[in-house]
Every structure is written in structure tokens, then in C-alpha cells.
Amino acid sequence: MILSVEAVTAGYGNGPDILHEVSITLHEGEIVAIIGPNGAGKSTLLKSILGLTSLRHGTVHHGSRDLTPLPVASRIRSGIAFVTQGLNIFPDLTVAENLEMAAYTMTNRSEVQQKYAEIMAFFPQLQAYARHTAGLLSGGERQMLALGMGLMLSPEVLLLDEPSIGLAPKVITEVFQQIQRIRDQGTSILMVEQNAAKALEISDRGYVLELGRNALTGTGASLLADPKVGSLYLGR
Ligand SMILES: Nc1ncnc2c1ncn2[C@@H]1O[C@H](COP(=O)(O)OP(=O)(O)OP(=O)(O)O)[C@@H](O)[C@H]1O
Ligand SMILES: [Mg+2]
């Protein structure tokens, strides 16, 4: 098990509990999808894994390491990267500068250059735009850049919040193919998605969150075939 969230109850500041005893696991080499309606607490779950919420009960482990008492920086250093929902690049910087910014904690110049070259080889489309302002990229290219930024620190676990949001169907297929390629090269992926059908298709397992609680879980295929998931999330 590379990541495990056990019975986490969390909220923001002194506000109400948003998550109620939520548990999820991610095994090495998996893509796991979190689906559920708006406001269910999906983003809050990812933020809780990073330590950005106020945790009131439960634990978060990365492998055997208990992250629960650790601050955000230590959790990121332990090998967890977060690609946030919505605007997740610096639009006024070039593509190359964005990737450099994402490596700001790397102190060894040649390691940064090596990682940069790796990311560019992995996403050849970005290479052509290295000196372009990132704000001018298409939606799909931006998301590719955001994924590249997430990979700069060589994470073991990549947390993705709505990677397909606002993208055209053909581009969504491309982004999901990139996500599978990232998994294939050894990064485990926990992904929140509104696009339940496509997300479950590429996921080993999935969880449905409702009102901040675990509602359903199963393999991607079994959730896709579940009549409740079908009527609520797949428009069947
Ligand atoms: N920074 C915050 N401070 C206080 N409450 C917040 C904060 N962020 C989210 N919330 C509240 O937490 C609840 C769950 O929000 P969250 O963003 O986790 O849902 P979500 O499942 O990601 O929804 P969506 O599909 O719309 O992205 C909502 O009621 C929201 O208003
Ligand atoms: Mg969200």
C-alpha cells in the first residue's frame, strides 16, 4: 500500500466537519478514481492527504510512514505531488519557467536540468512550446504542463484534482492517455474526476464519495456496471 487514508474526519479552520471517517487506499502502480457530486468533499480529501485541512480524526500514511503529524512541506518531500483543480500553471511564465518553478525545492542545478529533459522527452508536445507563455497554451497543453510540473519532483504518488475539467472530449481522451503513461512509468495516481465514465474506464479501482462519506467502492469495471453509479453519475 503506497497511500492509505484511514477514518479521516476533517474540515477547514474551526468550521464544520466536511469529511466524516473517510477511508481510501492506493496501491503501488494503481490509478484510483474518486467520484461524487459537487461539494461531496473530493478536493477536501486530496487536501487532507497533503495536510492542508484541519484533521480531527484518523490517519494518513505514505507506505509505512505516518504523515498525520507532518506539515505540508514534509508530505511533499516524502514523494506526494498535487495537481490542483482549475488554474494550476503560472500563465505569465513560459513553459520552461513553469517547470523550473515546480522544481523550486531542488537545489542541484544539474538534477533540475536532467529532470527537465526527462519531462520534455515524456511530453514532446511541450518541447515545441518551451519558450512560449503558458497562458497561450490550449487547455489540453496546459493540463499536460500541469502534469509535467507535478512530475518535476519525481513523486511516488500523484494527486490529480479534476484533470479533465473544461476540456473537449477528444482532449480528455488524450489527457487520460497521458495519465496512464505516467502510471506505466511508475507513479501511482489518485485522481478526482467529474467525468466518471472515462475516469473509471482507466482506473483499477474507484470510490464514490457522498456528503463527505464513503458511499461505494469497487474496481473501475464493477463501478461502471453498478446501476446506482450508472443512474447518478453516468446518465444512464
Ligand atoms: N477553503 C475552504 N474553507 C471552508 N470550506 C471549504 C473550503 N473548501 C471547500 N469547502 C467546503 O467543503 C465542502 C466540500 O468541498 P470540496 O471542494 O471538497 O468538494 P468537491 O467534491 O471537490 O466539489 P467539486 O466537485 O465542486 O469540486 C463544500 O461545502 C465547500 O464549501
Ligand atoms: Mg473539487
Side-chain angles (χ1 to χ4, degrees):
M1 197 131 59
I2 195 147
L3 188 73
S4 82
V5 172
E6 278 174 53
V8 158
T9 297
Y12 294 93
N14 297 318
D17 293 347
I18 304 285
L19 299 177
H20 308 270
E21 309 237 346
V22 171
S23 297
I24 59 134
T25 59
L26 176 69
H27 296 98
E28 207 171 334
E30 275 189 324
I31 299 177
V32 168
I34 311 283
I35 62 173
N38 291 116
K42 306 182 298 294
S43 297
T44 302
L45 173 60
L46 297 187
K47 289 187 239 173
S48 298
I49 292 169
L50 277 171
L52 292 164
T53 60
S54 132
L55 190 106
R56 289 141 194 187
H57 182 261
T59 58
V60 177
H61 282 81
H62 177 189
S64 59
R65 187 163 181 203
D66 187 1
L67 299 183
T68 321
L70 301 181
V72 180
S74 309
R75 298 184 194 209
I76 291 172
R77 221 177 294 124
S78 88
I80 300 179
F82 185 24
V83 179
T84 58
Q85 183 173 351
L87 188 61
N88 46 24
I89 58 160
F90 300 102
D92 296 331
L93 300 183
T94 66
V95 165
E97 288 165 347
N98 268 276
L99 290 169
E100 296 232 3
M101 283 292 284
Y104 70 103
T105 58
M106 285 167 76
T107 48
N108 183 319
R109 185 82 207 131
S110 68
E111 273 176 32
V112 173
Q113 279 165 352
Q114 191 190 327
K115 200 67 209 174
Y116 177 88
E118 249 175 60
I119 301 290
M120 285 304 196
F122 194 76
F123 297 112
Q125 262 178 279
L126 288 182
Q127 180 78 68
Y129 296 122
R131 306 286 155 215
H132 289 221
T133 304
L136 300 176
L137 297 176
S138 73
E141 289 157 358
R142 271 189 198 212
Q143 197 56 40
M144 204 183 289
L145 174 57
L147 292 173
M149 290 168 73
L151 294 174
M152 279 303 280
L153 298 179
S154 315
E156 287 183 4
V157 176
L158 190 57
L159 308 177
L160 302 177
D161 201 349
E162 311 256 10
S164 82
I165 199 163
L167 301 178
K170 181 171 162 284
V171 182
I172 293 178
T173 304
E174 286 169 14
V175 167
F176 282 174
Q177 279 166 357
Q178 307 289 9
I179 291 170
Q180 286 175 290
R181 285 176 60 223
I182 292 170
R183 186 270 309 274
D184 293 345
Q185 56 86 50
T187 306
S188 309
I189 294 175
L190 182 64
M191 140 175 107
V192 163
E193 258 301 333
Q194 287 285 341
N195 194 327
K198 281 201 166 165
L200 291 173
E201 264 172 38
I202 67 156
S203 294
D204 298 289
R205 293 183 301 111
Y207 293 85
V208 179
L209 281 194
E210 282 171 5
L211 298 171
R213 288 186 162 81
N214 283 100
L216 288 169
T217 184
T219 62
S222 72
L223 288 174
L224 272 173
D226 188 303
K228 186 165 177 242
V229 174
S231 66
L232 285 175
Y233 303 108
L234 308 175
R236 285 203 294 255

